[in-house]
Amino acid sequence: MMTFETFRQQFSLRLDKQQEAAVCQTEGPVLLLAVPGSGKTTALLARIGYLLYCRQVPPESVLTVTYTVAATADLRRRFSETFGEEYATRLEFRTINGMCARIIRRFEQMTGRQAFQLVSDETESTRLVREAWKQANRGFPTDSDLEESKTRIAYCKNSMLSDAEIEQLEDGEQFFKLFDAYRKLLLDNRLMDYDDQMVYGLKILRSQPQLLQAWQQKYRYFHVDEAQDTSKIQHEIIRLLASHSRNLFMVGDEDQSIYGFRAAYPQALMSFQRDWPEAKVLYLETNYRSTGSIVAAAGDFIRQNTHRHPKRMATPNPMGKPVVRRWLPRRWSQYAALAEQAAAGERFTVLYRNHESALPLIDLLEKQGTPYVCRGGKAAFFTHPTVRDVVDILLFAKQPDDTELFQRLYYKFRCGMTRELAEQTVKKGKQLPGRPLFALAAALCQEDWLKSRLESLYAQLCLLNGETSAQALSRIYDQMGYREYLRGKNADEGKLDILMALARNNPQSEVFLQRLSQLEVLAAEGKSQQNAAVVLSTIHGSKGLEYHRVILLDVVDGVLPQSTAAATEEEELQLEEERRLFYVGLTRAKEQLEILCCRDVTSSFALQLFPEERPREYRPVPKPAPKVLPKTDPELFTVGVMVRHKQFGRGLICSRSGDIVLIRFDDGQQKRIALHTALRAGMLKLDT
């Protein structure tokens, strides 16, 4: 039997005191909490080697699970490089899905029953979700709809939600129709998806004690890597398997849990000692990756979270260059600044929350011929309803007689046109091809106020054709009512900013539309050019990686973080995950870290990272205060203004004669109301 000292010398292992403690604590449940860059994988593999060489544990009795197939291959490769191929081939490195597939196969052999067929083809999976969506919504989904549906379905299965709990989610009743339709499609065709593998695997373990006992006897030691990314159902499967030997070694860091949308369950790390009363909690708190200034800034930032273990990250590295915040005049200024640095030959990695944040930068890098590396991402941005609407409006300005575009758009300008008038307009347009449809609508309209608004809207459409792309988008957003439409739906306006940045890069309208199509292809395919000095990646995609110089893009409220609200416990937990995502981005940097901040947008995280008051010259431009109507001033209540009445709800002022206004409410009622009386009583206000 080999001693630890001999083991360490024979395999040239360089372990600090905390890593040694983790390696040698082989019995019972152990939670190893590892800060970024602390050598957790080194400690994990060394522990496996220690079990084999020093404790004489047969390699077949050791199971190591991690998050992805790629990660399992990497662990096996690294173990083989250090400890030899012989043991590496006898050890089991698996994903939970891979383990569940084996459980299902064993159950098949025991019972003679044929399991459902796995849907492993992405095209087939998408087809099934599309069919379920059509059944539930009676329409045709966009790529965005499909991706969101897939994510939500996986979330529900990984979170072990009951039907009743699914219906309690946001838009739960409608989503449950889709979920149930998808579930029935799988059952009717004797199919299962990857998440069903775990659902069925857990069901088998719970219902077949003999089979569970067989797996418990096969494996005596369990290792879980990246435990913070493991879902609730995965933790439950691991708990059952390890409950006999109780030799469970979990490695993770709740501070780096950033896959909540995929049902990651970091709560398992927080409740580990409660679930395993005899457990030991060990720490790896030395960051060997980053400079002292980066470690200090990141550590101070993440300590603002409360649902975490109290870790004190430190480093033996020198302080190095200070963390830099760089203030830029506007959000869109980020892209030109980065492109200029890239053109000058500077080397850096740009990290961001969503892939769409990189699109304006990709556009500029492509135009100036700067090599870069960027993994392909989902092209959902280009099929998002907001992006599709803006493109449709620009196309409609060039084809004002297109009835299909008209039907998709007319109500999104908030002009007060009824469905009946729209249908009449389409019918008339088919009789008179080539006639602008908004001009026809104005001619068919009986109300003077609406006729005036439709004529004005048609004039606005005509003006779009003679403007630059940026001017046209500005007109669409703020003069033609589209931004108001989005706010009425409480929709995300972030897509508008990305489109505006792309419009600034491509001033001509035709070129802008063509460029969107080109970028859709580029974004989906990705690019990896030799000798590229610039690397582009989402923060999620950078997990586990490190870079010498990191620049964080779009650190603005509404993007990162998505929301600053923390009024409820749920909102606070969401904000904590936002902090964790930012923390992961910070800790990818080895030597230089730069945060881009924008003068025109608030950045809560930047202010938390740099709590000192920002320089006077870079104070954000204050947003105009919302228009509030004094109760004694009825002047803003003009024809065409949307109002809200306490009794009758939302309506449109159709006419006004002195103090009397005629309001058509959303339910179809029309009321004549004495304006001054309604204002003094607080019954009427602007619908802002």
Side-chain angles (χ1 to χ4, degrees), residues 265-334:
Y265 191 66
Q267 296 91 323
L269 277 65
M270 301 303 299
S271 64
F272 191 82
Q273 288 175 291
R274 184 186 69 220
D275 299 335
W276 304 86
E278 73 272 37
K280 290 182 169 57
V281 178
L282 306 178
Y283 293 85
L284 300 183
E285 297 175 298
T286 303
N287 179 315
Y288 295 100
R289 172 188 299 156
S290 306
T291 62
S293 60
I294 295 171
V295 166
D300 287 344
F301 179 80
I302 198 60
R303 277 194 287 275
Q304 296 177 77
N305 276 4
T306 58
H307 296 84
R308 61 185 298 271
H309 289 90
K311 299 179 285 292
R312 305 294 296 187
M313 184 168 58
T315 183
N317 298 330
M319 289 301 293
K321 297 181 178 180
V323 178
V324 174
R325 65 185 186 282
R326 184 179 178 192
W327 296 101
L328 296 166
R330 298 287 185 267
R331 185 181 171 189
W332 50 263
S333 307
Q334 300 173 102

Side-chain angles (χ1 to χ4, degrees), residues 162-179:
S162 66
D163 289 356
E165 289 171 324
I166 294 173
E167 289 185 310
Q168 294 302 311
L169 299 173
E170 183 181 356
D171 194 28
E173 185 175 345
Q174 184 62 32
F175 171 70
F176 180 75
K177 294 179 182 177
L178 185 153
F179 183 88

Side-chain angles (χ1 to χ4, degrees), residues 234-274:
Q234 292 171 335
H235 278 292
E236 179 60 17
I237 293 168
I238 293 165
R239 186 194 66 79
L240 282 175
L241 292 173
S243 60
H244 179 68
S245 71
R246 305 189 73 78
N247 294 326
L248 173 62
F249 186 75
M250 288 182 58
V251 185
D253 180 13
E254 72 281 352
D255 289 338
Q256 298 182 72
S257 180
I258 60 175
Y259 290 104
F261 64 96
R262 295 183 186 170
Y265 191 66
Q267 296 91 323
L269 277 65
M270 301 303 299
S271 64
F272 191 82
Q273 288 175 291
R274 184 186 69 220

Side-chain angles (χ1 to χ4, degrees), residues 382-426:
F382 299 94
T383 61
H384 190 277
T386 299
V387 177
R388 189 176 60 186
D389 283 348
V390 173
V391 171
D392 281 350
I393 293 169
L394 291 172
L395 291 174
F396 188 58
K398 302 179 187 303
Q399 308 164 44
D401 62 335
D402 190 311
T403 55
E404 185 177 341
L405 288 172
F406 175 80
Q407 289 174 297
R408 292 208 299 261
L409 294 172
Y410 76 89
Y411 59 92
K412 296 176 181 178
F413 297 115
R414 309 269 294 191
C415 62
M417 186 187 304
T418 63
R419 180 179 294 179
E420 291 77 14
L421 178 57
E423 291 172 351
Q424 292 175 30
T425 302
V426 169

Side-chain angles (χ1 to χ4, degrees), residues 474-504:
S474 180
R475 182 178 299 279
I476 292 168
Y477 296 171
D478 301 316
Q479 297 181 50
M480 297 177 67
Y482 187 70
R483 193 187 299 274
E484 183 184 355
Y485 164 75
L486 290 181
R487 290 174 178 174
K489 295 180 59 180
N490 198 28
D492 177 24
E493 298 178 39
K495 303 289 188 296
L496 302 183
D497 294 333
I498 301 298
L499 286 171
M500 181 61 78
L502 291 169
R504 292 183 176 278

Side-chain angles (χ1 to χ4, degrees), residues 6-35:
T6 303
F7 169 71
R8 183 167 62 177
Q9 291 178 4
Q10 179 171 328
F11 296 106
S12 303
L13 300 176
R14 299 177 63 184
L15 303 171
D16 62 29
K17 295 297 183 183
Q18 288 185 326
Q19 291 170 331
E20 285 183 14
V23 169
C24 296
Q25 186 62 54
T26 59
E27 305 304 307
V30 179
L31 175 63
L32 180 63
L33 296 168
V35 304

